[in-house]
Amino acid sequence: MHLNKVQDKIVEEFDAIIGQVKSKFRYLRHFANLGTSFPAATTVERTDDKMIRLTRSRIWLDAAYKDGKVYYAGDSDSSIIKGILMLYIKVFSGRTPKEIIDSDVYFTHEISLHDYLPQHRQNEISSVLQRMRAFAARFKISNLNDNGVALAV
């Protein structure tokens, strides 16, 4: 499924529940519930080298490169951030580095995420996105051939 179709599906899911989560508390509770249902296969070992620095919440993120695609694993000590992280992993895992780097991440705006999050949480989400793109860029660069020409990724 194309990356934008995954984002569209997330937006549709939120459109379906937005009437039910009329308050900020319930909206954020939904992310916390997503965080508790985080698939074990996407969790990461909580080590210092995988931690995203300069965030209030502790966030761990790792990526693997297999068959030309990037697969992410992550975790957080905040259930809200963990739920949002799950959505990012859902959108980006199994994509080529080029798809990830070139993507327009719009689902967060479509579901009004930034309207409900305090600034420090918005900064954390921005850090997650930056780290995911940094992993993708690193994998893309590592696929340069000896002539300095990028292989198709």
Side-chain angles (χ1 to χ4, degrees):
M1 184 183 299
H2 188 272
L3 184 142
N4 286 346
K5 290 204 182 288
V6 174
Q7 291 190 82
D8 292 343
K9 187 173 180 179
I10 291 169
V11 171
E12 286 174 20
E13 289 170 5
F14 270 82
D15 283 347
I17 65 156
I18 202 71
Q20 300 169 9
V21 292
K22 295 176 182 165
S23 70
K24 179 179 179 176
F25 174 79
R26 285 185 159 177
Y27 182 87
L28 295 176
R29 172 63 55 208
H30 180 71
F31 284 105
N33 291 339
L34 286 174
T36 59
S37 67
F38 207 66
T42 58
T43 58
V44 65
E45 186 178 349
R46 291 180 169 198
T47 59
D48 285 344
D49 61 318
K50 293 175 178 66
M51 186 182 293
I52 297 176
R53 304 276 181 226
L54 304 175
T55 58
R56 281 191 191 176
S57 302
R58 293 189 304 169
I59 305 167
W60 297 269
L61 186 67
D62 199 12
Y65 188 68
K66 184 178 178 185
D67 300 326
K69 296 187 178 180
V70 182
Y71 297 90
Y72 294 98
D75 202 357
S76 177
D77 63 350
S78 162
S79 58
I80 292 170
I81 294 299
K82 191 173 181 177
I84 296 167
L85 179 61
M86 184 186 85
L87 295 178
Y88 274 102
I89 289 173
K90 188 176 185 178
V91 169
F92 287 126
S93 274
R95 310 283 171 207
T96 66
K98 182 174 177 19
E99 285 179 293
I100 296 164
I101 294 165
D102 294 344
S103 66
D104 173 25
V105 180
Y106 59 85
F107 81 91
T108 56
H109 296 288
E110 293 288 325
I111 64 173
S112 302
L113 182 60
H114 297 287
D115 295 343
Y116 290 93
L117 292 178
Q119 188 60 49
H120 75 276
R121 293 273 193 222
Q122 291 179 38
N123 293 342
E124 290 174 341
I125 297 308
S126 178
S127 295
V128 167
L129 181 58
Q130 288 173 4
R131 176 70 63 91
M132 291 179 122
R133 286 194 165 143
F135 275 122
R138 207 171 310 140
F139 290 131
K140 185 174 181 178
I141 290 169
S142 71
N143 278 318
L144 293 177
N145 69 14
D146 292 322
N147 297 326
V149 178
L151 300 173
V153 289

